[in-house]
Each structure stands twice: as structure tokens, then as C-alpha cells.
Amino acid sequence: MYIGFDLGGTKMLAYLFDQDMNVIASQKLKTGSDRGPGLVAERIIDLTRTILADTNVNERSILGMGIAVPGVIDFDEGVVKQAPNLGMVEFPLARILRQELPFPIYLDNDVNAGTWGEYRRGAGRGYRHVLGVFPGTGIGGGLILDGKLYRGAGGAAGEIGHMIIQPGGTICGCGQEGCLEALASRKAMSKDALGMVAAGVLPAGFEDYGTDLAAYTSSFFLKAETAGIPEIQAITERAARYLGMGIANLVNLLNPECVIIGGGLVEKLGESYRSAVERSMRAHAMAYPGNAAAVVAASLGDDAVPVGAAMLASDSG
Ligand SMILES: [Zn+2]
């Protein structure tokens, strides 16, 4: 059996899988990252022991555990090099966990884990060269080249959200201007939509969404799409166009067989969004490899990350 762990900034999720990677059980706990990395490590151990106790599984039955972390990870050493949402810098998480848990433990970046999950068990099955693109608050990327996860020299490969698409464009959280995620992430779309509401140009049912950015979720964009609100549809189309442009650059660089796009926007907006991204990618990439790359929606949803983390443990063991 395997454990796949999705370690987020606010909550952690543990999944127990059988040999065939079917989910046996899942549990969650608050991460408590505001109280320091040591406490986060303790909670990972607690949650792991709880899920095993509740399912009557002996820890000796666990062949490996994979932990997906939102940050830059040294996969070989099991060190969290940088994870701002967890307050971790050069934190030897795997070593600490191994002192308490008797099975092999692997850490990887969460987007790498999600891409690996889709590659092994989801929309990327059957391909060898896969690019995973996950637009959300930011835009994460995962690279599978020749059947292997490509992590780069220091574990930071795949930061596609900070590819500069528009010189002098919207300022990004990273300090640069015109990054892909400042133009095409769900957060960028939310800011634009909030501006429309504040300007009072939207019809009834949309005018009272207010000034809390958190209200402008993927569901908001689905509602606007269904209701046919042209101002909001234009925001979605522009974001999809920029995302396709960013993917076109990567397709020219990497010649993948398959581009998987995932996350809440893709799940909510579905085919209209996926096809808009694909059209833009093909319009901006070279004819070959642009026309040769399939653009598919992720199929595992929220399970991609824990499944991928567990698969990384099983594939690395
Ligand atoms: Zn940036």
C-alpha cells in the first residue's frame, strides 16, 4: 500500500492507496504553517498515524509515501528548499519524517506530482512527452520528457507562470511585468472581473459580487459564461488566448505530444475554455510541432496530486 500526501499552505490531505492505486481512505488536517515548519512535520506524522490506525493498516504494509509540496524541492535529498506558504527554507522534511515513519518517503513539487498523476493514471496515459499546465491562483507547469519528470538543476523547472508574455504588461507578484500568470491566471481574471463589477457595467445578478476577490471563483466565470455576459466572456477569452500563447512558446521549445491543462477553471468551464486555449496555442506555435501536440483536459481533478505523489513513491521505490 502507498500513502499520497497533498501538503497545502492551509490544509494537508492524506490518501491511503492499495497496490493498484485505488483510494482506500483519505483524511485532512489544518497545516498550521503559521506555527513553524517543525509543527507542520509533527502534523504530517500525526495524520499519517491516524489514517493508518483508523483503517487498521500496519505501517509495515506501507511500501512508500509521496508528499506533494507547494515549493522548490530537492527531490534526491528530500529537502524543501523554498516553500513560502509553509514558511520553509532549506528544511530537511524527509529526514525528520524518516525518524518517525519506517517506510521510504519522497518529496516533490505539487505541480510535478499532479502532472505525474495525470501522466501515469489520467489524461496523459500513453504519451512519453507531456507538458502539464495548471492555471489557478498562479500558473504551475510540469514537464515529462522522454517518460521522466524534468526537475532542472535545482528542482525549480516548470515555473511557466513567470514566462514574460507582454513586456511592460501587468505587474506580477514576482516583481516582473507581463508574466503569464499576471495575464492568464484565475486570479488575474478575478481582478478584471472585480473591476467590471466596480465600474457598474454588469447586469443584475452580477452587479452585487462586491470587492472581495475571493468571490470571483471559477464558478463565477461559469455562471457568467452560462448567462452570456459578454464583458466577462471577454475576460475568459483573453486569459485563454494568453495561456495558449504561453503554451505555444513551450510547445516550440519542447515538442510535447500532449499538453494537459487542469485546475478549477478547466473543470468548471470545460470544453469552451480548453478549445480556446488550443486554438490560441495552434495560432501562435510553429505549424509543426503546434499541430502535432494534443491539448487535453486533466481527468483526475483534485486526486491528481495525491495519486501522483503516491505513484512517485511507487515508481521511485
Ligand atoms: Zn511573475
Side-chain angles (χ1 to χ4, degrees):
M1 303 174 91
Y2 292 91
I3 294 173
F5 223 96
D6 184 355
L7 179 60
T10 53
K11 65 175 193 283
M12 54 175 77
L13 291 138
Y15 283 64
L16 181 65
F17 295 94
D18 68 13
Q19 241 43 22
D20 299 319
M21 291 294 160
N22 300 306
V23 179
I24 304 290
S26 69
Q27 289 202 8
K28 65 182 166 187
L29 191 64
K30 281 200 171 116
T31 304
S33 45
D34 52 326
R35 293 168 59 191
L39 178 102
V40 174
E42 275 175 37
R43 288 197 173 172
I44 294 171
I45 294 162
D46 288 348
L47 187 59
T48 303
R49 287 183 173 148
T50 305
I51 198 168
L52 293 177
D54 289 357
T55 49
N56 284 316
V57 171
N58 190 298
E59 57 188 23
R60 287 177 218 293
S61 310
I62 302 299
L63 299 176
M65 169 164 159
I67 304 178
V69 183
V72 179
I73 307 302
D74 182 331
F75 179 80
D76 294 327
E77 299 294 329
V79 171
V80 181
K81 294 172 78 165
Q82 260 183 52
N85 295 342
L86 296 168
M88 293 181 184
V89 179
E90 297 294 340
F91 187 68
L93 180 60
R95 197 180 72 211
I96 293 166
L97 299 178
R98 282 177 198 135
Q99 288 166 0
E100 300 288 331
L101 302 171
F103 33 77
I105 293 169
Y106 299 89
L107 308 187
D108 208 339
N109 169 270
D110 55 353
V111 181
N112 283 354
T115 304
W116 192 254
E118 289 288 344
Y119 167 67
R120 296 286 276 112
R121 294 278 157 170
R125 268 181 300 188
Y127 297 105
R128 283 187 67 76
H129 304 275
V130 175
L131 168 65
V133 179
F134 297 86
T137 308
I139 298 181
L143 310 175
I144 291 162
L145 306 178
D146 209 11
K148 293 196 180 78
L149 252 177
Y150 180 77
R151 300 182 174 90
E159 290 291 347
I160 64 172
H162 302 287
M163 178 169 38
I164 293 171
I165 294 288
Q166 189 184 55
T170 309
I171 196 148
C172 179
C174 75
Q176 299 286 345
E177 293 173 343
C179 290
L180 180 61
E181 74 177 43
L183 300 165
S185 64
R186 205 230 36 255
K187 192 174 174 186
M189 291 166 61
S190 301
K191 283 182 185 167
D192 289 349
L194 190 154
M196 288 285 174
V197 169
V201 296
L202 299 187
F206 289 90
E207 66 204 350
D208 53 357
Y209 260 83
T211 54
D212 182 4
L213 204 57
Y216 297 83
T217 58
S218 299
S219 299
F220 167 88
F221 289 97
L222 174 60
K223 187 180 162 193
E225 174 98 14
T226 311
I229 310 297
E231 291 87 350
I232 303 297
Q233 288 171 313
I235 291 171
T236 305
E237 280 162 26
R238 190 170 63 235
R241 192 166 67 246
Y242 278 126
L243 188 64
M245 206 181 279
I247 293 172
N249 291 334
L250 295 165
V251 164
N252 287 345
L253 176 70
L254 300 169
N255 185 196
E257 296 164 284
C258 174
V259 180
I260 300 172
I261 53 175
L265 270 178
V266 182
E267 282 169 32
K268 288 287 178 198
L269 299 178
E271 180 55 18
S272 67
Y273 177 80
R274 188 211 63 79
S275 61
V277 173
E278 178 178 334
R279 270 197 307 280
S280 170
M281 183 279 278
R282 297 209 203 285
H284 292 101
M286 292 170 67
Y288 187 88
N291 292 335
V295 177
V296 302
S299 66
L300 298 182
D302 292 342
D303 288 350
V305 170
V307 166
M311 287 300 306
L312 278 165
S314 111
D315 293 336
S316 305

